[in-house]
Amino acid sequence: MPEISRFLGIIIAMFADDHNPPHLHVRYGDYEAIITLKDGIVKGELPRKVLKAVFKWMDMHREELDDNWHRLQAGKEAKRISPLK
C-alpha cells in the first residue's frame, strides 16, 4: 500500500492508478474507508473518533493531498505527509 501518512494507528494511502474523484484510502484495524478530498464523502466504515482525526488531518494538509493526487496521476511518487500530532 502506498502509505503517505500514519498516526494513532490510522494508515492513509493513495494509489497511482486510482479513479476520480481524488480521494484517499484509510485503514484502521479491521476498518477501511475511502474519503474524497473535495467533499469529504466517506465510503466504508471507521469509528467516529478515527473519522474526526482523519478530517482534522485532511484540513491541515489539503494542499499537500491535492499535490500528491496530481503527482500520482502524472506517474510521479507521492510525498509523505506529516502525521497528526
Side-chain angles (χ1 to χ4, degrees), residues 54-68:
V54 171
F55 280 135
K56 180 177 180 179
W57 176 83
M58 287 175 67
D59 286 342
M60 295 169 60
H61 299 286
R62 183 84 43 207
E63 287 181 29
E64 292 166 280
L65 289 166
D66 287 336
D67 181 55
N68 267 347

Side-chain angles (χ1 to χ4, degrees), residues 5-84:
S5 194
R6 180 186 294 243
F7 53 91
L8 305 172
I10 303 165
I11 301 169
I12 310 286
M14 283 183 161
F15 297 92
D17 59 350
D18 233 340
H19 56 84
N20 277 313
H23 62 277
L24 51 85
H25 296 257
V26 181
R27 289 184 43 198
Y28 178 77
D30 293 334
Y31 296 95
E32 291 186 25
I34 294 173
I35 304 175
T36 61
L37 299 184
K38 182 179 178 185
D39 302 323
I41 297 171
V42 179
K43 289 186 180 181
E45 223 177 293
L46 293 170
R48 185 176 304 262
K49 69 176 184 167
V50 172
L51 189 56
K52 286 176 72 172
V54 171
F55 280 135
K56 180 177 180 179
W57 176 83
M58 287 175 67
D59 286 342
M60 295 169 60
H61 299 286
R62 183 84 43 207
E63 287 181 29
E64 292 166 280
L65 289 166
D66 287 336
D67 181 55
N68 267 347
W69 182 263
H70 292 295
R71 290 178 60 80
L72 289 166
Q73 297 305 305
K76 298 178 183 174
E77 191 171 318
K79 295 181 180 180
R80 297 276 302 171
I81 299 175
S82 60
L84 183 66

